[in-house]
Amino acid sequence: MRRTQLAGPVLDVAPLLLGTVLRSTTAEGTVAVRITEVEAYDGPNDPGSHAYRGETPRNAVMFGPPGFLYVYFTYGMHFCMNIGTGPTGTPSAVLLRAGEVIEGVELARHRRGVVPALIGTGGVLPGPVRKRPAANPDRDLARGPARMCVALGIDREHNGVDLLAKDSPVRLLDGPGFDGTPSTGPRVGLREAPDWCWRFWIPNDPTVSPYRPHVPKRRA
DNA sequence: TGGTAGATATACT
DNA sequence: GTATATCTACCAA
């Protein structure tokens, strides 16, 4: 992936990212995922975008040049990551929603609390072994934006990393992406613009996160 | 199998 | 104070 490609319209860029590989290296080791699901966010024109109401300390990376990582913390608990797209000053971005772990599976399992000895039985830490375990825990390692950040070891320290620099701890690798026709649908969990089909995924890929429509929280 | 409580940073009203 | 680009454990049936 070249930076000039990422500078294009976000609805063009988002499907291009499907099938490409994101590799993260920390002191713990290296994990790489093949991106299987993304969502497009079109800055000031998109009421669902963090950049819709202008620049804040949190979303500043989106306003910079394309190819930099925008990491944010949400629900008091989870990190999610975007690839900033569009030219400098255009705060569009692509949310990485899911991927298949293709390198460093052992480390990804460790980070996600999956006990190797219990693979296949669905044993997960912390807490007791689930009574009805998932049939295939590896499928879920990076299935969903927050899980993907855990699997790759991404946190707020990675905000602003250049994904296209050879010496970066997180890199978007060169190589062919998904060759077919992506599936599209509404973005997950958004109250705004629920009818915009700006979510793209690789058809029939088991690592794509299940669709959940926005659920307003009831008052206590 | 499906619904929900709870974790609580950040931005907005 | 309220909402949010979420996930997990727990519980009822």
Side-chain angles (χ1 to χ4, degrees):
Chain A
M1 188 66 57
R2 288 205 293 274
R3 204 177 303 276
T4 51
Q5 294 177 272
L6 295 175
V10 69
L11 285 179
D12 295 341
V13 173
L16 287 181
L17 291 169
L18 292 175
T20 61
V21 173
L22 191 71
R23 173 182 282 153
S24 165
T25 301
T26 71
E28 292 183 302
T30 297
V31 171
V33 302
R34 171 178 165 265
I35 298 168
T36 59
E37 179 188 4
V38 298
E39 284 176 0
Y41 286 86
D42 187 24
N45 309 310
D46 178 359
S49 169
H50 285 174
Y52 184 56
R53 294 174 190 84
E55 186 172 343
T56 68
R58 181 172 71 157
N59 66 22
V61 173
M62 298 174 81
F63 289 79
F68 286 73
L69 194 65
Y70 165 46
V71 179
Y72 69 92
F73 194 58
T74 190
Y75 291 98
M77 181 175 249
H78 298 298
F79 292 102
C80 297
M81 63 178 151
N82 295 247
I83 297 176
T85 68
T88 300
T90 301
S92 52
V94 176
L95 172 70
L96 305 183
R97 283 201 57 86
E100 173 193 4
V101 177
I102 59 172
E103 182 182 345
V105 177
E106 295 287 327
L107 177 53
R109 286 175 186 153
H110 171 73
R111 285 171 170 160
R112 293 267 297 120
V114 179
V115 180
L118 299 178
I119 293 293
T121 69
V124 178
L125 292 179
V129 174
R130 297 165 63 88
K131 288 179 181 172
R132 260 184 302 283
N136 181 1
D138 281 355
R139 180 197 64 176
D140 294 338
L141 285 176
R143 191 182 194 223
R147 292 167 172 178
M148 193 169 175
C149 282
V150 171
L152 287 168
I154 301 294
D155 61 27
R156 67 176 81 248
E157 297 193 356
H158 294 91
N159 189 44
V161 162
D162 183 354
L163 296 172
L164 302 182
K166 300 239 187 293
D167 60 346
S168 282
V170 188
R171 294 188 56 202
L172 187 62
L173 303 184
D174 277 322
F178 174 60
D179 202 16
T181 303
S183 298
T184 67
R187 295 177 292 185
V188 173
L190 281 188
R191 181 171 53 89
E192 304 288 349
D195 53 336
W196 296 9
C197 292
W198 283 12
R199 174 175 170 245
F200 303 87
W201 66 93
I202 295 177
N204 303 120
D205 191 295
T207 64
V208 171
S209 64
Y211 174 65
R212 284 183 301 277
H214 174 76
V215 181
K217 253 197 164 161
R218 294 181 320 186
R219 286 202 45 193

